[in-house]
Amino acid sequence: GVNEDDVSAIVAIHNTTNERAWAEILRWEITLHGSELDNLPRLEKFRGKYKEISPKARLKMFFQDVKRPFDRHDWIVNRNGKQVRYIIDFYDGKQTA
């Protein structure tokens, strides 16, 4: 279990991780689709799906012998009225693959 004294640190790390992921998603959106954007993309929905393995994670596990991700977040972004999904897998430690 989680020690109650550690909860605030865990929440802070989780929030920072999510803020960095959102900044990275915006960077991808602007880099790849900047010329077609009417407005900055906005977050429509965010879901943690740690029990589900993404297709990319499944391939990495099978072909590259990478351990299962410990978490997965699905970000649904509104890009000019169209919903676009980003799947972010989180792994323990440094990845060699």
Side-chain angles (χ1 to χ4, degrees), residues 22-34:
W22 177 243
E24 189 69 11
I25 288 169
L26 285 177
R27 188 176 72 79
W28 293 332
E29 284 288 313
I30 292 166
T31 299
L32 300 174
H33 305 284

Side-chain angles (χ1 to χ4, degrees), residues 17-96:
T17 300
N18 285 336
E19 289 169 11
R20 287 181 180 171
W22 177 243
E24 189 69 11
I25 288 169
L26 285 177
R27 188 176 72 79
W28 293 332
E29 284 288 313
I30 292 166
T31 299
L32 300 174
H33 305 284
S35 63
E36 62 195 63
L37 293 176
D38 297 330
N39 297 299
L40 274 180
R42 62 183 173 84
L43 180 62
E44 293 255 323
K45 189 185 329 181
F46 170 89
R47 289 186 58 198
K49 293 184 164 184
Y50 70 93
K51 292 183 180 179
E52 296 180 32
I53 300 174
S54 72
K56 182 177 180 180
R58 193 172 302 281
L59 288 171
K60 289 178 78 162
M61 290 165 59
F62 185 78
F63 289 110
Q64 298 176 331
D65 198 31
V66 171
K67 290 182 184 177
R68 177 191 172 108
F70 69 86
D71 202 359
R72 168 185 165 173
H73 293 171
D74 286 24
W75 299 69
I76 308 299
V77 174
N78 181 317
R79 179 195 309 142
N80 294 337
K82 178 181 177 185
Q83 288 190 341
V84 179
R85 182 187 342 192
Y86 285 87
I87 299 173
I88 312 294
D89 292 314
F90 294 92
Y91 297 89
D92 282 324
K94 293 183 179 181
Q95 294 295 308
T96 56

